Amino acid sequence: MIYTSVKSQVRSGTIFLFILVILSGGFSIFYLQKLYIQTQHVSKANYQSLEYCHRMQAALDGTEQQGKANRDTLSKYLRLQRANITEKGEREATARVEQWFAKLKGGESSAVQNIRQELQTILSVNMQAIRIKNEQSESSAQEAKAFLIAIVGSILLIGFSFVISFPSVITAPIEKLTEAIKKVGEKDYTHRIHIQSKDEFGKLAGAFNEMAERLEYFENSNLNKIIFEKSRAEAVINSLQDASIGIDKTGTVLFANNKALQLLGLQVKDIVGSKAAAVSAQNDLFRFLLEEKGTVPFKVVVDNRENYFIKEVVDIDQEGSKSRVIVLKNITSFKELDVAKTNFIATVSHELKTPLASSDLGLTLLEDERIGKLTEEQRDLIQNLKQDNQRMLRILSELLNMSQVEAGKIQLDIAEVSPYAIADNAIEAVQTAAKEKNIRIQKLVAEHLPAVKADWEKTGWVLTNLLTNAIKHSPKDNTINLEIKEGDGHVAFSVSDQGPGIPPEFLPKVFDRFFKVPGSKVGGTGLGLAISKEFIEGEGGRIWVQSEIGSGSVFGFYLLKC
Ligand code: ADP
């Protein structure tokens, strides 16, 4: 294909129009000229003959009076007439006039009449010619008119169709381009422009197609990437041991893994993509999960087996508004362990209590002077044994209490208790554990503290638990502070350590049952603080925690003054 630029197309278009104008002008001038020549020709030859004849006729009229002068005029115009013969029969008639003129010169008087006759012949021949030529010019004019109309008409037609069609040479590709750009704007990258020409538009279309191809490639690769990421995320979510449900900011369920579907007894199509409100109207467990705010363990029967779960809600910030992932942790194994532990503790405590009580009785009997005299050393030994026995009995009753709490049967024996007694008792209970890690427990206890409203054993257990946690989480050879001070209407107990601290996001959860700070290497069941909370709140007090990563933790509680 020959390369023609748009510029040269526009130029040739204009030249073409220009040629049409010149052609129509040229034809008009040509026919005007032709007509002019024809009329010129008619008038000149025949009108001259007419004039000569009239002159000769006038000269003949005067020949009788003026004689020679008129004869000269006659001969002069006869000569001119001879040189101006144009029509058929005019030559013969002129020759006959000449013959008769010669006779007239010879004196023949009848010649005048004959000359007049012949002149009349010449006149009518020319008149006839003029008429014919006039008719011819008229028909030529008609012909020229028709021809010009045809020419101008066809030029007009060509020019008009050119004017109509030529702009589309430029606008058609522009329209195609505009359409294609719109499609790309609407993310339809498969659209291509088909312009075969090699002009500027052809090049532009080529560049556009190349761009659309690249966009399509990127779009496809992005789409593949997104699809890949989506299926990866789905695989990860489904592989989670915990049931997880994602709800976006508009309340639409984004995903629910297999475990969650199994628990809810739903299919993917029933829940994914539906509004959470609509799902909760159909499903009681789902409604409970949406409504329930706390983290209390709850029971769900799956495959005819009781399963225990706790709910965790992870908030995800999505463009200013919150999306949620509800995670259900299966704590059945912990619960079972816990029940087993509770039963075990209850049984062991119960079984040990009787032999310990009887050995206590035996020791009391041994002390009696009536049985036998004891040396000083033997008395000391028995005293120590008795103290140990008492402590063991106390610990056993604490263990029994704890198993009761865990079984949901708390019985608080609230009385006036001295904070000093609670502190001493707790410190004594953790002495061995502290010694093992060479940890010093520093008492920062104010003087003259009022008595508090508490269950002596259970509060002692709480403080013991706080001290045990502090020891567990402190590095070796460290110091733990036990502070007790009076406050407004209460007495505040606090245990501070220099351990690793607790991340802020987990602080509100440490008092939840079974909660353990993720990543903590220290073992435990996550029950101690939950039981402590129940004890303290049961006594009308409040338990709290302050902690920062790297700066240790402070656990404390307030008890009401008496
Ligand atoms: P347990 O210690 O048996 O796991 P607790 O209820 O006593 O259960 O404690 C709950 C969780 O709180 C622990 O697992 C631990 O991660 C965290 N925690 C408790 N006390 C401390 C402390 N003094 N320093 C750091 N973390 C602590």
Side-chain angles (χ1 to χ4, degrees), residues 62-123:
T63 19
E64 284 104 40
Q65 296 95 25
Q66 272 113 30
K68 186 177 172 322
N70 283 326
R71 247 178 255 146
D72 287 347
T73 313
L74 212 142
S75 109
K76 176 185 156 193
Y77 283 106
L78 193 58
R79 222 172 31 251
L80 285 172
Q81 168 58 25
R82 205 188 303 123
N84 191 34
I85 288 166
T86 51
E87 305 306 320
K88 200 176 157 214
E90 195 180 359
R91 183 176 299 283
E92 292 77 17
T94 310
R96 281 196 295 278
V97 172
E98 276 176 337
Q99 281 166 14
W100 287 114
F101 184 56
K103 285 182 184 166
L104 181 72
K105 278 198 254 176
E108 202 174 312
S109 55
S110 62
V112 172
Q113 193 53 39
N114 286 324
I115 288 171
R116 273 189 210 280
Q117 227 172 335
E118 290 309 327
L119 283 175
Q120 199 55 47
T121 311
I122 293 168
L123 272 174

Side-chain angles (χ1 to χ4, degrees), residues 247-250 315-318 320-324:
I247 300 172
D248 77 0
K249 56 179 179 173
T250 63
D315 287 329
I316 300 163
D317 219 349
Q318 191 190 3
S321 55
K322 292 247 185 303
S323 298
R324 291 176 285 165

